[in-house]
Amino acid sequence: MPIVVDIDVMLARRKMSVGELADRVGITPANLAVLKNGRAKAVRFTTLAALCEVLDCQPGDLLRWEAAEAGEAVEAEEGVGA
């Protein structure tokens, strides 16, 4: 997927656990894990804002775009793995 989630990077920089972040943001550790591992299909702006507030960062510190590699682009176009 071309969107990469770097929550784990910010957690390490802030020396914070997933459980502590989830508690302070107001989401379950399971939902935070889904987001952190890049399996989320969507993120609410309120959740993103809460993450940024707790981690004292910008949305771009948590999310970034990476171009898909040639093989991934072909699979996506052909519907392979969907």
Side-chain angles (χ1 to χ4, degrees):
M1 168 166 280
I3 300 296
V4 179
V5 181
D6 287 327
I7 291 175
D8 52 347
V9 173
M10 292 306 297
L11 283 170
R13 288 183 183 167
R14 302 296 188 253
K15 296 178 173 59
M16 188 182 297
S17 70
V18 171
E20 181 183 353
L21 179 60
D23 187 50
R24 290 178 62 183
V25 169
I27 61 175
T28 66
N31 284 341
L32 182 57
V34 167
L35 178 59
K36 186 173 85 66
N37 295 323
R39 295 189 316 257
K41 299 294 182 194
V43 181
R44 290 185 176 158
F45 281 159
T46 54
T47 302
L48 184 58
L51 287 166
C52 290
E53 182 176 354
V54 170
L55 293 170
D56 189 30
C57 66
Q58 294 294 313
D61 296 325
L62 302 177
L63 304 171
R64 62 187 160 88
W65 177 81
E66 279 188 1
E69 294 187 20
E72 292 177 11
V74 170
E75 288 179 6
E77 290 175 10
E78 295 174 354
V80 176

